[in-house]
Amino acid sequence: MKPVILGGGIAGLSLAYFLEGPSVVLEKEERLGGLSRSFSFNGVPYDVGPHIMFSKDREILDLHTSLVETDKVRRSNQIFYKRRLVKYPFENDLAALPPQDRDFCLNAFLENPHEGRPARNMLEFFLKTFGEGITRLYLQPYNEKIWKFDPARMDLQMVERIPKPPKEDIVKSANGVPTEGYLHQLYFRYPKRGGFQSLVDAYAREAAKKAQVLNPVRLERLRRQAGVWTVDTDRGSFETDALVNCMPLHELFRYLKAPESIRAALDKLLFNSIHIVVVQAAKDAIGEHFALYFPDRETAFHRVSKLDFLGPAYRRPGATTLLAEVTFRPGEPQDGAKIGRAVVDGLESQGLVRREDVLGVETRTFHYAYVIYDLDHRKNTDAVLGWLREQGIRCCGRFAEFEYMNSDAVAASARRLARELKK
């Protein structure tokens, strides 16, 4: 039987691409791509993010750059701290801080009482690795802002791979000697045109050579008998002994009967939603930088990206295009127009865009954005995925596996699953 794949985002489409035989991909939206979709505002494409192409997995990176024409871009990210631009990562540009804050960060790193203590959560990891100064001035407030969650209640899965910076680099940083962090992220690739949607569309074209890709399609019922799943939709029914879920787990379970213990574990899987606010203005004061990070609690957004930085196809004549991201907890009442005004207020208060220069604002809201690694994440995720596997359902994708994965990691997961299904 053909594998049936629920969801036509990067996970579902890349899985259909990697599978050797035919499959069926079912997507409820009119546009394929999920969180990798792109939209357009006054002719400028923008993503839910934005997304970029970089990976330590050379095979995946080579595949993506062969599927779409890309530009190689040198990353220029800055942290906007007390109206100063501090080169990302924060610890590599301490000299840009006010002298009192610079000395606090340096001394707390060199004489760190947390260094010898075990790190049991994200906050303790930051204190142990970077000291009180860097943690309190940047890492803690920024992570509280993006996750809307206490870092002391988050586990180490997001941060355990962050290397401890050498002491000599921190000393150089405080003395104004340039150093670089995260060298594997120094350059990235981005589609020449069309936003990240162009990679989605390329995967869809390749997958369609051997797979049946249906969208929009409404899932009506899932039923299983004798090891075979029947997927009932408004466009017909499909039988399979290889059902793969690429939908968010919370959406999948609308169609499943599960034990109370599994339902309870699912309910404890936490995530954030996001507003994407695009602001076009006659001019800005960001300069030639791609992204600015905002740890201060007064500004609504945690990150602003300047899309002009990505190339000619992302520039509107006579204007600059900025993309701001504002996370929130699901279920909180939200007003898109109010959020748009708050972003403009924040840009003006930080001296980055004058209100009278704003030419247009567009806000889009997405229910699923960031997986939250709370202290029980691993236990609850393993329980839910283990039960699904017992039912003959495999999962692939950020919210299907409930892991904070970038698109390259999602594609790598799809490649692994395709090999597993082949066996």
Side-chain angles (χ1 to χ4, degrees):
M1 296 180 181
K2 298 178 184 178
V4 173
I5 302 167
L6 305 178
I10 283 287
L13 294 172
S14 61
L15 177 59
Y17 169 84
F18 286 118
L19 288 170
E20 290 188 353
S23 59
V24 178
V25 180
L26 305 175
E27 168 57 47
K28 72 172 183 176
E29 300 288 349
E30 291 191 5
R31 183 184 300 184
L32 297 167
L35 282 174
S36 294
R37 286 174 293 173
S38 299
F39 305 89
S40 179
F41 185 49
N42 293 328
V44 178
Y46 67 91
D47 309 328
V48 187
H51 300 284
I52 58 176
M53 294 181 187
F54 77 94
S55 181
K56 292 182 178 180
D57 189 323
R58 194 71 217 181
E59 181 183 342
I60 293 296
L61 183 60
D62 288 345
L63 170 62
H64 287 178
T65 55
S66 69
L67 289 173
V68 296
E69 190 177 6
T70 64
D71 285 323
K72 186 177 182 180
V73 185
R74 193 181 196 280
R75 187 193 298 257
S76 180
N77 291 0
Q78 306 283 318
I79 296 153
F80 201 74
Y81 179 81
K82 295 183 178 179
R83 291 208 172 199
R84 296 169 180 245
L85 291 176
V86 180
K87 186 179 68 172
Y88 177 88
F90 192 80
E91 64 271 17
N92 284 90
D93 196 17
L94 297 182
L97 302 178
Q100 183 175 354
D101 291 344
R102 176 202 62 203
D103 294 344
F104 176 34
C105 291
L106 175 61
N107 294 331
F109 179 84
L110 295 177
E111 301 294 334
N112 184 5
H114 303 276
E115 191 171 16
R117 300 173 185 171
R120 297 160 297 183
N121 57 58
M122 178 185 279
L123 181 58
E124 290 180 350
F125 174 87
F126 288 149
L127 290 168
K128 176 185 178 71
T129 307
F130 297 98
E132 195 89 22
I134 296 172
T135 297
R136 303 302 186 193
L137 298 186
Y138 172 60
L139 291 172
Q140 183 176 1
Y142 182 78
N143 278 277
E144 288 174 346
K145 193 172 186 180
I146 188 172
W147 303 114
K148 302 293 186 290
F149 206 78
D150 183 354
R153 295 172 55 205
M154 296 179 69
D155 71 15
L156 302 176
Q157 294 179 86
M158 280 290 296
V159 296
E160 59 188 357
R161 293 185 298 274
I162 297 176
K164 181 179 176 64
K167 288 187 177 182
E168 54 269 25
D169 281 4
I170 296 295
V171 173
K172 288 180 181 178
S173 165
N175 288 318
V177 179
T179 59
E180 292 290 349
Y182 312 145
L183 291 174
H184 69 287
Q185 298 182 18
L186 193 56
Y187 289 89
F188 64 88
R189 295 275 184 174
Y190 195 77
K192 278 186 175 291
R193 59 192 67 84
F196 212 74
Q197 182 78 44
S198 61
L199 180 62
V200 172
D201 295 343
Y203 263 128
R205 286 193 300 270
E206 292 299 316
K209 294 177 181 178
K210 53 186 173 180
Q212 184 180 12
V213 181
L214 295 177
N215 72 298
V217 59
R218 185 177 71 250
L219 181 61
E220 296 178 342
R221 186 168 58 160
L222 295 175
R223 46 199 171 94
R224 188 188 190 208
Q225 185 175 5
V228 174
W229 281 97
T230 300
V231 182
D232 295 321
T233 77
D234 62 342
R235 297 178 65 173
S237 296
F238 306 87
E239 289 189 344
T240 182
D241 55 359
L243 182 61
V244 180
N245 172 57
C246 298
M247 298 163 51
L249 290 174
H250 297 77
E251 301 300 318
L252 173 68
F253 272 78
R254 296 176 188 270
Y255 305 95
L256 298 174
K257 294 181 179 179
E260 285 189 17
S261 61
I262 299 303
R263 288 278 177 187
L266 176 73
D267 290 342
K268 293 175 184 175
L269 295 182
L270 306 178
F271 61 92
N272 272 348
S273 303
I274 196 167
H275 298 294
I276 299 295
V277 182
V278 182
V279 178
Q280 289 186 335
K283 56 185 176 180
D284 68 80
I286 292 177
E288 293 301 314
H289 300 297
F290 177 45
L292 302 186
Y293 302 89
F294 294 82
D296 66 289
R297 292 179 172 85
E298 293 73 32
T299 309
F301 42 83
H302 63 270
R303 180 168 64 177
V304 169
S305 301
K306 185 171 180 176
L307 302 188
D308 306 62
F309 190 85
L310 296 172
Y314 306 97
R315 298 171 190 152
R316 175 187 169 190
T320 185
T321 303
L322 308 178
L323 188 153
E325 298 164 75
V326 183
T327 57
F328 64 97
R329 298 307 306 276
E332 294 179 1
Q334 301 294 326
D335 181 334
K338 184 178 179 180
I339 295 299
R341 291 193 295 271
V343 167
V344 172
D345 290 345
L347 290 170
E348 184 174 54
S349 68
Q350 297 289 5
L352 298 173
V353 173
R354 297 190 307 172
R355 187 179 305 277
E356 57 264 34
D357 289 330
V358 174
L359 304 174
V361 179
E362 177 169 283
T363 302
R364 291 183 184 268
T365 301
F366 301 88
H367 186 59
Y368 295 99
Y370 293 125
V371 170
I372 295 178
Y373 284 101
D374 71 303
L375 295 175
D376 291 325
H377 167 273
R378 185 77 274 142
K379 177 184 69 176
N380 292 323
T381 301
D382 288 348
V384 172
L385 295 181
W387 182 83
L388 287 173
R389 197 171 184 90
E390 290 173 359
Q391 313 311 307
I393 301 177
R394 293 170 174 82
C395 291
C396 181
R398 175 181 287 195
F399 280 99
E401 298 179 67
F402 222 77
E403 302 288 349
Y404 186 80
M405 297 189 291
N406 294 324
S407 55
D408 64 304
V410 170
S413 179
R415 181 184 57 191
R416 287 192 298 271
L417 181 53
R419 291 170 178 169
E420 180 183 333
L421 291 174
K422 179 182 177 181
K423 293 179 182 179

